[in-house]
Amino acid sequence: MSKRGYSKPGSWGSFWAMLTLVGLVTRAAQRADVGGEAAGTSINHSQAVLQRLQELLRQGNASDVVLRVQAAGTDEVRVFHAHRLLLGLHSELFRELLSNQSEAVLQEPRDCAAVFDKFIRYLYCGELTVLLTQAIPLHRLATKYGVASLQRGVADYMRAHLAGGAGPAVGWYHYAVGTGDEALRESCLQFLAWNLSAVVASAEWGAVSPELLWQLLQRSDLVLQDELELFQALEAWLGRARPPPAVAERALRAIRYPMIPPAQLFQLQARSAALARHGPAVADLLLQAYQFHAASPLHYAKFFDVNGSSFLPRNYLAPAWGAPWVINNPARDDRSTSFQTQLGPSGHDAGRRVTWNVLFSPRWLPVSLRPVYADAAGTALPAARPEDGRPRLVVTPASSGGDAAGVSFQKTVLVGARQQGRLLVRHAYSFHQSSEEAGDFLAHADLQRRNSEYLVENALHLHLIVKPVYHTLIRTPK
């Protein structure tokens, strides 16, 4: 049995002196009357206190408890000479555990035992350095011992690194579900939805649980090349996971077959192993898709309900549904562009296009901030500064012809960030036909700062998507 830890106990004098310093000097303020004026002078020795606490832990001076941390399934034991008072200040569990004993044996999973020194250090100093692989074991320890501040800190770290694309989103999602951390679960789910193309191409896709798969398949905000990519990813998952037939058929019925062109549907029916095995379970959906593509949307909507999710596109990156737009030096001046999208996913509309004009302004001022005149003499209130403006993006159709009868358009703007050589979606803004712009577009972005999280090499990477939404036509009887 190997033993590693901190040194043996020392004198009590230095320990009580340390506690006195913690209580009185960590954040002291002294008020003095200088030149007849009362002035507050802050005396801050907090860094010195932290250093002394680190020495206290490292040297084991005046320790009164011993923690023996054993990694589950091994003979390895790590020994920590600690102080009952400091452990109990952070953890009710430690307070109760050590109230009547000076030595405790703690059984921990291997990954938790490996970071127990960092956990103990946090209890003494209130800080630690986290690596991606250490996030879950540290969060487990904080949860087990009831250290709420560390729980929140590690959860914030995980959410921040998810947004940056560095965190293992699938593994963290399953951990969040197991621990009931709803905020972390939702953050993982949102990252996976916005970056599904990157996820299905990685080793993480094989670790997706049936429950997570179902959560993703139901979402309309998935970002991927097209619906065919999602079908192929699902088929690969089915081939590896070999779920029960009921699970496979439920997942296959979540694919939006009307969003797949007829030629690709024919190929799937001829070549797909999943459809060969479970074809009867989705036969009605395939028929529905062929009917949708064969008729005009207006005619189809007279007889069938097109308000279901099957007829709503997801956030497709294919050229038929939008276009990328890279804006270099976005803080400099206004920019504009235009692009075309297919009128709708129906085969009947395959050759019909809608042209969209886009205007980007880095410093647009709302009416409430624009200069107004206070009186008839023309005296104006102080003009708003350019930095008071906020970024604005306006998307409008180039014309409003009759081609779009029975269709409205939902616009989505994706903002990318480059992480580890990949361009990942960091933010998404959506608005409907009734609005030409997203009111909260880049509301908190500082485009003047070159290292802004919204910029990649001082460029704003956008992808503009337009999703047609069909409406059932209500026929009035004559």
Side-chain angles (χ1 to χ4, degrees), residues 121-135:
R121 184 181 184 278
Y122 176 85
L123 301 184
Y124 277 72
C125 308
E127 63 177 3
L128 52 74
T129 302
V130 187
L131 302 177
L132 287 173
T133 55
Q134 298 170 340

Side-chain angles (χ1 to χ4, degrees), residues 136-147:
I136 286 181
L138 283 170
H139 195 274
R140 279 202 188 106
L141 289 172
T143 303
K144 175 180 178 179
Y145 292 98
V147 185

